[in-house]
Amino acid sequence: MAANVLDFTDANWKSDVLDSEIPVIVDFWAPWCGPCRMLAPTIEKLAGEFEGKVKIGKMNTDENQETPGGLRISAIPTVLIFQGGKEVDRLVGVNTESKFKASLEKLGVS
């Protein structure tokens, strides 16, 4: 994982995502998932571009099952966007960089 892509876990979920002062993008993935690996470069690019404005990280669904289960993550990759501790957008599958940027623009992030 790139240095500016955070590692979200069941243990740090509340403090790092729900209690975050800035928007958070969470990529739910697993190492065996081909589409997840295809999406990784886009997530890393966004993490670099929006560093300091948006927290961007990944949660391994094999290692952390409590949080994805509670959020009804039924397919991976699924990317959730949070603001103020609430889910504000959900993108399932491999999406383009422009789709993520459009979602962030709705939150006033550019």
Side-chain angles (χ1 to χ4, degrees):
M1 245 185 303
N4 49 358
V5 176
L6 303 171
D7 184 26
F8 296 127
T9 65
D10 288 337
N12 70 17
W13 181 255
K14 184 176 184 324
S15 62
D16 287 2
V17 178
L18 300 181
D19 294 341
S20 176
E21 298 289 321
I22 59 175
V24 184
I25 291 179
V26 184
D27 174 17
F28 291 89
W29 73 291
W32 49 263
C33 167
C36 298
R37 289 194 304 273
M38 288 172 50
L39 182 61
T42 302
I43 296 298
E44 290 171 6
K45 185 172 185 213
L46 291 168
E49 192 172 330
F50 290 97
E51 192 167 13
K53 297 181 197 173
V54 179
K55 282 186 188 177
I56 298 179
K58 299 165 82 72
M59 178 177 274
N60 183 326
T61 57
D62 287 346
E63 296 174 358
N64 302 279
Q65 297 183 349
E66 184 179 317
T67 302
L71 294 167
R72 300 176 320 280
I73 303 295
S74 58
I76 54 173
T78 293
V79 176
L80 300 186
I81 301 177
F82 289 84
Q83 186 172 41
K86 305 272 187 256
E87 178 185 330
V88 294
D89 207 352
R90 178 178 291 236
L91 300 156
V92 179
V94 178
N95 285 283
T96 61
E97 182 182 340
S98 60
K99 210 162 186 180
F100 292 110
K101 286 182 176 180
S103 187
L104 289 172
E105 283 173 13
K106 285 188 231 168
L107 303 178
V109 178
S110 56

